[in-house]
Amino acid sequence: DQQVKQNSPSLSVQEGRISILNCDYTNSMFDYFLWYKKYPAEGPTFLISISSIKDKNEDGRFTVFLNKSAKHLSLHIVPSQPGDSAVYFCAAPVPGSSNTGKLIFGQGTTLQVKP
Amino acid sequence: DTGVSQNPRHKITKRGQNVTFRCDPISEHNRLYWYRQTLGQGPEFLTYFQNEAQLEKSRLLSDRFSAERPKGSFSTLEIQRTEQGDSAMYLCASSLRQGMSETQYFGPGTRLLVL
């Protein structure tokens, strides 16, 4: 079973506070993870990624944490800004697809940052 | 702008008609992917090209769907005898594999509505 799950369909936070978006996966063979942000009527935009050899990757206001034992990753946005309001997808290359790189996506979490 | 482009951005067609979408990837990228996204779901993999070779097709891709990448540059996705269930956002992504990691960059998508 190769699934990536985002169990929270939506999240609302106040501007300036931390946003935490969660993602779980079922196969311990997943070794690379990506987060994408999507605005309405646009394609997904790459945000940040993490390899399974790391447990943290940071890029400005965005940090991704990986807990391999729990098969869980999270995206932290600090401080949250109204422009961060979008749908966030976690994704991973399907294990064993190193030749194709095809991605499997979670269902997405809609983040709303209130001014 | 040197990002991935897709045309048309929107397409409305009647059931039974054929439609064709075009994707222009980032110029130096040798890998090209098609995904389909329906409401409330993450993108789902359809097919993958490395240069001009179509190396993988999803079981989601019925025989009414065909994709080409004739010169290893732009790609087309054709749907014959469209059905209402084909209504979705069709996303194209391109990438350049570097080492063990790969980041796919998405175009804005083509939104198809089949009446």
Side-chain angles (χ1 to χ4, degrees):
Chain A
D1 185 23
Q2 297 174 350
Q3 290 189 33
V4 175
K5 302 176 185 176
Q6 293 174 259
N7 293 317
S8 298
S10 62
L11 175 67
S12 180
V13 301
Q14 207 67 34
E15 181 179 6
R17 299 292 187 104
I18 184 171
S19 296
I20 300 176
L21 298 106
N22 295 304
C23 182
D24 297 294
Y25 57 97
T26 57
N27 190 331
S28 58
M29 296 298 289
F30 283 118
D31 60 8
Y32 188 66
F33 302 89
L34 307 95
W35 284 94
Y36 286 87
K37 178 172 72 174
K38 187 179 183 302
Y39 294 117
E42 295 184 12
T45 302
F46 170 70
L47 204 53
I48 193 170
S49 61
I50 188 167
S51 166
S52 61
I53 62 174
K54 295 184 176 181
D55 54 18
K56 176 182 174 181
N57 189 26
E58 188 172 355
D59 183 1
R61 296 185 297 114
F62 302 91
T63 303
V64 57
F65 295 92
L66 177 61
N67 183 334
K68 291 183 285 294
S69 61
K71 299 191 187 70
H72 177 84
L73 64 155
S74 60
L75 175 67
H76 293 213
I77 307 173
V78 183
S80 301
Q81 299 174 353
D84 296 329
S85 298
V87 180
Y88 289 78
F89 293 98
C90 65
V94 174
S97 67
S98 58
N99 290 330
T100 71
K102 65 182 180 184
L103 295 175
I104 184 167
F105 284 81
Q107 304 93 315
T109 297
T110 300
L111 173 65
Q112 182 185 27
V113 180
K114 297 179 179 178
Chain B
D1 184 82
T2 58
V4 179
S5 62
Q6 291 187 246
N7 288 289
R9 293 291 305 273
H10 304 273
K11 180 70 177 178
I12 300 174
T13 191
K14 293 182 179 179
R15 188 176 52 187
Q17 298 294 305
N18 299 343
V19 294
T20 300
F21 310 141
R22 176 178 170 126
C23 170
D24 288 272
I26 294 170
S27 59
E28 64 268 25
H29 286 183
N30 61 346
R31 294 184 162 202
L32 187 147
Y33 300 82
W34 286 98
Y35 292 83
R36 179 171 65 189
Q37 184 181 16
T38 53
L39 200 61
Q41 300 296 318
E44 294 176 296
F45 170 80
L46 292 178
T47 191
Y48 153 72
F49 290 85
Q50 179 151 323
N51 300 312
E52 68 276 6
Q54 186 176 21
L55 297 184
E56 186 166 348
K57 292 171 60 173
S58 165
R59 283 170 289 181
L60 292 175
L61 218 61
S62 77
D63 56 6
R64 297 184 296 106
F65 288 71
S66 62
E68 295 182 343
R69 194 183 182 198
K71 297 182 180 179
S73 57
F74 73 91
S75 176
T76 58
L77 178 68
E78 181 183 16
I79 309 174
Q80 296 182 327
R81 305 180 303 282
T82 52
E83 301 173 356
Q84 289 182 326
D86 297 331
S87 296
M89 172 78 88
Y90 289 84
L91 294 162
C92 175
S94 71
S95 69
L96 180 66
R97 187 172 180 86
Q98 293 176 316
M100 295 302 293
S101 66
E102 174 182 350
T103 299
Q104 294 178 26
Y105 295 89
F106 284 82
T110 295
R111 182 167 294 281
L112 172 66
L113 178 60
V114 181
L115 301 176

